[in-house]
């Protein structure tokens, strides 16, 4: 008999965007290597063979879950399915993404497995037999290291900002997992409404142009949209701008909004309160346009322009359209 | 309908960074470096409950776990017109994790009349773990929906809950009792209590329980017993190495900015 191998499960339970899935796979793979555990990736299946074999390049095993009930109540089915897998595989950790479904089931899954749960992890480590994570707290004013004293550690991570998995020489094994159990459907889905917004969700966007109170009204946000189009990016706003009704709440970035991780976050008319910074700290580059050279946002910027947005936006958009044509 | 709203008292998240400091333990913020306020998502939850009661009638109880200061949070909730207030006094000096919090809340809920709807904020403005609602639902063995921003009553035993998700929203029909964690929307900005109601709230009774009253161990909140334990807390310093774009004219500066942005856009 060989030594029992411990396991890290990466649960790709939401049809998330490519970048979040890649980051999540990377987080799970690196943690499994630190722990010295087998890396098992759970995904919805059966998928087309191409994407399943893509997953196999970052995993020891890929479990493709097939369940007829999955379309009707993803929360309850995934919860029961992962609870069963957790009981059978006895993992050291279960790592999930930052999509709404993963966030929703994280505490419930941990409770059912007798483990510990936490969210919004920015780094994952293993020390002295326990998983530890770091996360931003107190509205971005402090950084905490948190030890998960229960097993398994059930953690959702800021997946889009994490590095992808390292490709393995030999792909892992792909198995199908039939989950035919019909969970008791206490909650029924009645209606789904998608936002009119186009393209990536904010969490997955590679370029974000964002506006705040300094823009002075709703009209400049229309200009931001045009600029975003030129850059093939997304638009966002500070809480102040959303509360004033200048931009929809779905654009809100920060502590009480979305946490984003683009290659470039361009902030216009945003002073840079810590609550806002908390939502953008994972950006590769932050840049700002602001009339006040002492605005706190500049402390977090790679580059910045001290000018009035209203006089910059028109020529900037023209110039960028020209450069990127 | 009997509604319970769980309210958390937190350090004011609007405290400026220059005033923010750590407690001597370096495991939490100095509780005196800012005012204590009710967590905004918890107030969104209370507002959601108040609107439900405005439309359909019912009774709203509020419950808070914490040191003696949580009385202020409960008084404010009463001023917003909650019907009854309950507190679980944590005089241990230890901060519970979400799991221990959910255990204590569930024990208190066991003392109350049958509830139809239990609400929490979806996360708190201090630690922001976002776990308590889901854990409480599991403690109580009830269904759970997160990120809810609207609730409607349909018939005597079901509710319709609207959940914000990654790309829009979904509406669910759930049997009562159900647990939901509430997020903010344009419709649940907390109401400002009237001066008269604030004065009247000071005279209303608050039922207070110790951990012992709820048959909970006094060791429940000991750091070594928690499932999730804070081991380090630091205040990160901003780098402050912004390269300000210089130029003789505005046009020149805008041109340089465009070049920098375009370079990143091309690299993607």
């Amino acid at each position: 008999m060989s030594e029992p191998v411990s396991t890290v499960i990466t649960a790709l339970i939401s049809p998330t965007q490519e970048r979040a899935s890649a980051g999540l796979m990377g987080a799970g793979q690196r943690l499994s290597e630190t722990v010295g555990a087998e890396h098992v990736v759970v995904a919805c299946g059966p998928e087309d063979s191409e994407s399943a074999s893509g997953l196999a390049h970052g995993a020891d095993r890929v479990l493709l879950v097939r369940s007829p009930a999955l379309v009707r109540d993803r929360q309850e089915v995934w919860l029961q399915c992962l609870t069963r897998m957790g009981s059978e595989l006895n993992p050291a950790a279960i790592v999930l993404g930052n999509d709404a479904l993963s966030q929703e089931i994280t505490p419930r899954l941990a409770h059912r497995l007798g483990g510990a749960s936490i969210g919004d992890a920015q780094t994952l480590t293993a020390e002295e037999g326990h998983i530890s994570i770091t996360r931003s707290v107190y509205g971005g004013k402090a950084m905490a290291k948190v030890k998960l004293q229960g097993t398994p550690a059930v953690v959702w991570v800021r997946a889009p900002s994490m590095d992808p998995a390292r490709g393995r020489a030999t792909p892992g094994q792909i198995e199908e997992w039939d989950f035919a159990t019909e969970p008791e459907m206490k909650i029924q889905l009645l209606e789904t409404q998608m936002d009119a917004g186009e393209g990536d969700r904010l969490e997955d966007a590679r370029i974000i142009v964002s506006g705040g109170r300094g823009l002075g009204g709703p009209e400049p946000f229309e200009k931001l949209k045009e600029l975003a189009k030129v850059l093939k990016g997304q638009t966002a706003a500070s809480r102040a701008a959303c509360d004033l009704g200048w931009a929809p709440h779905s654009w809100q970035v920060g502590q009480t909004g979305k946490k984003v991780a683009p290659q470039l976050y361009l902030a216009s008319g945003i002073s840079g309160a810590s609550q806002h910074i908390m939502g953008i700290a994972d950006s590769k580059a932050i840049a700002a346009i602001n009339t006040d050279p002492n605005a706190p946002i500049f402390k977090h910027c790679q580059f910045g322009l001290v000018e009035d947005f209203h006089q910059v936006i028109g020529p900037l958009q023209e110039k960028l359209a020209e450069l990127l044509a | 309908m009997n509604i319970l709203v769980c309210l958390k008292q937190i350090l004011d998240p609007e405290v400026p960074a220059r005033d923010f400091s750590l407690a001597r333990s370096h495991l939490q913020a100095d509780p005196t470096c800012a005012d204590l306020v009710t967590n905004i998502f918890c107030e969104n939850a209370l507002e959601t409950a108040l609107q439900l009661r405005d439309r359909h009638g019912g009774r709203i109880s509020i419950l808070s776990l914490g040191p003696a200061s949580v009385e202020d949070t409960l008084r404010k909730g009463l001023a917003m017109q909650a019907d009854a207030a309950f507190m679980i006094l944590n005089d241990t000096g230890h901060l519970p994790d979400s799991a221990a919090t959910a255990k204590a809340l569930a024990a208190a809920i066991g003392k109350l009349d049958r509830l139809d709807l239990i609400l929490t904020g979806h996360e708190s403005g201090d630690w922001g773990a976002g776990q308590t609602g889901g854990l409480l639902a599991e403690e109580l063995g009830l269904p759970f929906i997160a990120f809810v921003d609207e609730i409607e009553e349909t018939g005597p035993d079901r509710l319709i809950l609207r959940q914000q998700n990654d790309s829009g929203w979904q509406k669910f029909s759930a049997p009562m009792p159900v647990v939901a964690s509430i997020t903010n929307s344009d419709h649940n900005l907390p109401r400002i209590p009237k001066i008269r109601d604030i004065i009247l709230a000071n005279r209303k009774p608050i039922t207070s329980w110790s951990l012992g009253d709820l048959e909970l161990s006094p060791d429940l909140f000991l750091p070594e017993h928690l499932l999730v334990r804070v081991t380090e807390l630091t205040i990160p310093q901003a780098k402050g190495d912004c390269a300000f774009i210089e130029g003789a004219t505005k046009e020149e500066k805008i041109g340089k900015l465009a070049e920098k942005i375009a370079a990143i856009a091309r690299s993607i």
Side-chain angles (χ1 to χ4, degrees):
Chain A
M1 282 290 281
S2 58
E3 284 274 302
V5 182
S6 76
T7 304
V8 168
I9 296 178
T10 297
L12 284 166
I13 62 171
S14 209
T16 45
Q17 309 269 332
E18 198 186 321
R19 225 179 123 211
S21 305
L24 183 55
M25 286 283 293
Q29 185 189 53
R30 285 185 294 276
L31 184 64
S32 71
E33 285 167 0
T34 313
V35 181
E38 179 192 39
H39 185 212
V40 175
V41 173
V42 178
C44 193
E47 311 226 335
D48 56 286
S49 53
E50 202 180 313
S51 66
S53 70
L55 297 178
H57 279 282
D60 296 296
R61 271 205 289 164
V62 178
L63 300 179
L64 296 177
V65 174
R66 192 211 315 253
S67 165
L70 210 50
V71 280
R72 276 174 289 134
D73 187 346
R74 294 189 304 160
Q75 186 195 164
E76 212 49 50
V77 175
W78 274 122
L79 194 53
Q80 295 196 17
C81 179
L82 289 170
T83 303
R84 189 182 294 177
M85 278 181 190
S87 319
E88 285 185 21
L89 300 176
N90 208 11
I94 302 177
V95 187
L96 299 103
N98 68 337
D99 53 278
L101 177 64
S102 293
Q103 293 190 32
E104 186 174 38
I105 74 165
T106 291
R108 304 183 70 196
L109 179 60
H111 193 280
R112 287 181 189 196
L113 293 171
S117 68
I118 193 74
D120 205 19
Q122 286 158 272
T123 64
L124 281 163
T125 51
E127 287 163 11
E128 298 155 17
H130 288 290
I131 309 292
S132 280
I133 62 118
T134 57
R135 59 196 306 276
S136 181
V137 295
Y138 289 108
K141 285 185 270 286
M143 183 62 82
K145 187 168 178 185
V146 172
K147 181 167 140 193
L148 295 144
Q149 300 190 126
T151 304
V154 183
V155 183
W156 69 261
V157 301
R158 284 199 194 178
S161 63
M162 294 185 156
D163 292 329
R166 192 178 37 76
R168 296 156 46 107
T170 47
Q173 207 179 316
I174 299 170
E175 297 160 32
E176 282 189 18
W177 181 298
D178 268 308
F179 189 70
T181 309
E182 189 72 16
E184 194 189 343
M185 296 292 174
K186 286 188 180 150
I187 291 176
Q188 291 153 10
L189 177 62
L190 299 176
E191 196 185 345
T192 297
Q193 172 82 47
M194 305 286 273
D195 276 343
E198 293 158 25
D200 294 333
R201 53 178 200 138
L202 268 179
E203 291 91 330
D204 298 310
R206 287 177 162 87
I207 292 188
I208 293 175
V209 292
S210 182
R213 196 197 294 268
L215 297 197
E219 299 82 16
F221 285 86
E222 293 301 316
K223 298 222 167 97
L224 278 186
K225 264 200 225 168
E226 292 167 28
L227 180 62
K229 208 175 264 176
V230 171
L231 292 167
K232 298 195 173 64
Q234 293 288 326
T235 39
S238 69
R239 177 173 166 190
C242 295
D243 283 351
L244 287 162
W246 300 348
H249 267 105
S250 57
W251 288 24
Q252 191 183 318
V253 163
Q255 186 185 11
T256 51
K258 294 183 169 130
K259 318 243 174 2
V260 299
Q263 300 294 308
L264 173 66
Y265 186 88
L266 177 64
S268 297
I270 292 177
S271 66
S274 65
Q275 289 86 347
H276 189 74
I277 302 301
M278 187 175 174
I280 66 172
D282 288 337
S283 306
K284 205 97 187 163
I286 298 171
I289 303 169
N290 204 300
T291 48
D292 176 7
N294 296 316
I297 186 83
F298 286 123
K299 287 212 176 73
H300 304 271
C301 284
Q302 268 79 342
F303 56 95
L305 178 62
V306 181
E307 280 291 348
D308 181 359
F309 169 84
H310 302 91
Q311 295 175 27
V312 170
I313 179 73
L316 178 65
Q317 190 189 320
E318 272 172 40
K319 187 83 191 160
L320 277 168
E322 194 184 302
L323 288 169
L324 297 171
Chain B
M1 184 165 41
N2 251 334
I3 309 173
L4 177 77
V5 184
C6 302
L7 301 175
K8 184 179 184 185
Q9 187 181 53
I10 62 167
L11 192 73
D12 188 351
E14 305 291 333
V15 56
R18 64 178 176 276
D19 296 337
F20 180 81
S21 61
L22 301 181
R24 249 184 305 171
S25 66
H26 275 241
L27 294 175
Q28 58 172 300
D30 176 358
T32 63
C33 74
D35 292 337
L36 297 171
V37 298
T38 307
N39 179 39
I40 179 68
F41 291 117
C42 298
E43 290 200 329
N44 295 136
L46 179 53
E47 178 59 37
T48 304
L50 290 164
Q51 290 176 18
L52 263 176
R53 191 187 61 184
D54 290 347
R55 288 198 299 271
H56 306 288
R59 181 179 163 79
I60 299 172
S61 302
I62 49 180
L63 170 64
S64 191
L65 162 68
S69 62
V70 302
E71 183 184 334
D72 297 341
T73 281
L74 292 168
R75 293 273 172 227
K76 188 175 178 201
L78 287 168
M80 285 169 76
Q81 299 286 283
D83 298 291
F86 302 87
M87 74 183 272
I88 308 164
L89 181 65
N90 172 14
D91 55 6
T92 64
H94 299 296
L95 276 188
D97 63 359
S98 311
T101 300
K103 270 205 168 62
L105 295 174
I109 288 167
K111 294 246 180 203
L112 301 175
D113 291 340
R114 190 198 129 96
L115 296 163
D116 302 301
L117 174 64
I118 297 164
L119 302 179
T120 68
H122 105 87
E123 66 177 36
S124 62
D126 51 0
W127 292 95
Q131 305 296 302
T132 303
L135 291 168
L136 180 59
E138 290 299 307
E139 287 288 335
L140 299 170
L142 294 177
F144 174 68
I145 304 182
F147 307 110
V148 170
D149 68 358
E150 269 177 43
I151 303 176
E152 303 157 43
E153 204 168 357
T154 54
D157 55 359
R158 289 193 87 84
L159 292 169
I160 294 177
L161 300 100
R162 193 178 92 144
Q163 174 183 59
Q164 288 182 15
N165 61 20
D166 302 315
S167 49
W169 53 258
Q170 291 186 310
K171 279 188 179 174
F172 294 95
S173 164
M176 293 189 271
V178 60
V179 180
S181 72
I182 300 291
T183 191
N184 54 344
S185 78
D186 301 336
H187 311 293
N188 63 14
L189 290 176
R191 61 192 65 184
I192 312 285
K194 297 190 188 86
I195 301 283
R196 183 173 166 275
D197 292 332
I198 293 172
I199 296 165
L200 288 175
N202 283 326
R203 296 185 206 145
K204 288 188 183 163
I206 293 176
T207 305
S208 178
W209 293 303
S210 67
L211 295 181
D213 293 337
L214 299 173
E215 285 157 43
L216 294 166
S217 157
D219 296 342
L220 182 64
F221 300 155
L222 282 181
E224 53 270 35
H225 290 186
L226 300 179
L227 289 169
V228 172
R229 178 178 186 173
V230 179
T231 53
E232 258 178 62
L233 191 66
T234 51
I235 298 180
Q237 298 303 318
K239 295 185 307 296
D241 54 359
C242 175
F244 285 101
I245 292 168
E246 310 282 351
T249 63
K250 192 176 288 167
E251 288 63 37
E252 189 188 334
K253 288 196 264 186
I254 293 171
K256 285 185 184 170
L257 177 65
E259 294 282 356
K260 278 181 177 285
I261 295 172
I264 295 174
R266 286 196 204 99
S267 73
I268 293 169

